[in-house]
Amino acid sequence: VVVVTREIRRDPTTGEEVVLSSERTLERRPPSPPDDPQSCPFCPGQERFTRPTIAAVERAGAWVARAFANRRPVLVVEEALSSRDGLLQSTSGVGAHEVIVEAPEHVPLHHLPVERTVDALTLATLRMQDLRRDMRLQTLSWFRNHGVGAGASQAHPHAQVVGLPVVPRRVAAFRDRCAAHRARTGRPLMQELREVEARAGRLVLEQGPVMAFCPFAPRHPFEVWLVPDGAGPHLADATPAQLEATARAMHAVLGALERGVGPTPLTALAFGAPAQEAGEGIGWHIRLAPRLLVGAGLEEATGLAVHSVFPEEAAEVLRSALSVKTR
Ligand SMILES: [Zn+2]
């Protein structure tokens, strides 16, 4: 019997959290994405291979985007919320982990009509609005991986929504910088950044209320930020006009990346306020991060590392390796 354990632990020296989820041991080696629609669990007709649909967008009587619980969640809602304080702090692995299949077609999202991207983003915000009602979920993270190098385990276009019982350091840092900027200048940081970037020579395109630009200090080569005018604190607060413009901008930039840089593994992620906070002065936006280093979307979105080896397990493995050697 395999007992699945999940815990979020905080490194006492840096304050950085790590998600330990033994479920991920099933993925010690990343599977190569089956690029065969016949064996793809996300293609229409294969719905029985995934968890049941939680919500969907339908067009002409068939789904064009659908959401369901991840088959191997890093965190689960059924867990009881508990935490340990002191030098070694931890929180139980309570959370949410959903998959959003973004199109019925088994091809990259930006190769499809832009309406698919609009519907996919709309479904993501609906799921986040719903999950936000669970007050235990302090952070809601949306991200999508494209390509093996970005950690995608399925070639079919899909996104993920993860709810966390903590506010990771990177999310807190964004919130705190927005608050500090507002206290100093009276203005939202992301609004001012839009104005500065509009004349800084890093603009990629403007799509209605959304500005796409390469950020001043990118973490990744060819990183692009999609920043809507007057954005609320969280992607779940996006207006239909902001969502549509963001989808159009994302579609266009992904096409431009492919033409200009070549096929690039990429993580798209939403940045915003913690889920249960008013988030005044914080503006949500989407970041497109080409992944030339190995990693997963959750790391990029929240700063959390996700891996499968509990230190207890590691120590045991090392101890038995030593005892075999000294025998
Ligand atoms: Zn498929």
Side-chain angles (χ1 to χ4, degrees):
V1 176
V2 178
V3 178
V4 176
T5 42
R6 302 177 174 87
E7 198 167 64
I8 298 170
R9 296 183 179 181
R10 183 169 292 124
D11 180 335
T13 65
T14 62
E16 271 173 344
E17 295 92 348
V18 58
V19 178
L20 294 162
S21 179
S22 64
E23 184 100 83
R24 307 301 276 187
T25 49
L26 299 169
E27 299 170 353
R28 257 185 224 287
R29 241 174 301 158
S32 49
D35 214 3
D36 173 16
Q38 300 296 323
S39 60
C40 172
F42 295 171
C43 273
Q46 322 258 57
E47 291 84 355
R48 66 189 180 283
F49 295 116
T50 70
R51 294 277 162 84
T53 300
I54 297 170
V57 176
E58 295 193 354
R59 302 266 174 226
W63 65 264
V64 291
R66 71 182 193 99
F68 47 87
N70 194 302
R71 202 157 47 92
R72 296 179 206 156
V74 290
L75 301 164
V76 289
V77 285
E78 293 81 9
E79 198 98 19
L81 181 61
S82 65
S83 55
R84 256 189 323 204
D85 249 322
L87 182 62
L88 302 179
Q89 299 173 353
S90 65
T91 306
S92 57
V94 60
H97 191 173
E98 294 185 6
V99 174
I100 292 169
V101 172
E102 297 176 299
E105 295 91 351
H106 190 97
V107 293
L109 194 58
H110 63 281
H111 292 181
L112 295 167
V114 69
E115 287 71 27
R116 289 282 189 266
T117 308
V118 178
D119 286 339
L121 266 187
T122 302
L123 182 58
T125 60
L126 292 175
R127 290 310 307 138
M128 291 169 106
Q129 288 164 15
D130 185 34
L131 288 167
R132 184 158 66 171
R133 293 196 296 233
D134 185 337
M135 303 300 283
R136 300 172 304 173
L137 303 182
Q138 299 292 316
T139 301
L140 283 174
S141 182
W142 171 91
F143 59 88
R144 63 187 308 276
N145 294 317
H146 169 68
V148 185
S153 57
Q154 295 291 344
H156 199 112
H158 68 285
Q160 297 176 65
V161 172
V162 174
L164 301 162
V166 296
V167 177
R169 210 170 66 146
R170 198 162 170 213
V171 178
F174 177 57
R175 170 195 61 196
D176 295 346
R177 291 193 77 85
C178 287
H181 185 83
R182 195 155 178 267
R184 198 166 59 241
T185 66
R187 306 207 52 215
L189 175 63
M190 295 311 294
Q191 280 301 113
E192 194 159 342
L193 204 49
R194 278 175 51 95
E195 287 165 29
V196 170
E197 291 291 355
R199 35 176 211 272
R202 287 182 289 272
L203 195 63
V204 177
L205 61 86
E206 280 187 278
Q207 172 71 54
V210 170
M211 184 183 282
F213 58 85
C214 293
F216 173 63
R219 280 161 54 99
H220 302 276
F222 301 102
E223 181 168 339
V224 178
W225 293 4
L226 312 174
V227 183
D229 188 24
H234 203 272
L235 178 58
D237 305 312
T239 66
Q242 288 170 344
L243 269 189
E244 169 153 6
T246 300
R248 288 183 182 278
M250 184 161 83
H251 192 266
V253 171
L254 292 179
L257 272 168
E258 191 164 79
R259 288 190 300 277
V261 186
T264 311
L266 184 137
T267 297
L269 57 103
F271 238 63
Q276 306 299 338
E277 297 180 18
E280 248 177 78
I282 303 177
W284 71 266
H285 57 282
I286 284 179
R287 299 183 176 188
L288 304 178
R291 304 302 298 274
L292 304 166
L293 306 167
V294 176
L298 187 58
E299 271 122 290
E300 186 59 28
T302 65
L304 295 186
V306 180
H307 62 81
S308 59
V309 184
F310 276 74
E312 294 80 14
E313 187 191 339
E316 207 171 285
V317 168
L318 292 172
R319 277 195 303 269
S320 29
L322 282 170
S323 72
V324 167
K325 204 179 169 186
T326 51
R327 223 174 258 158

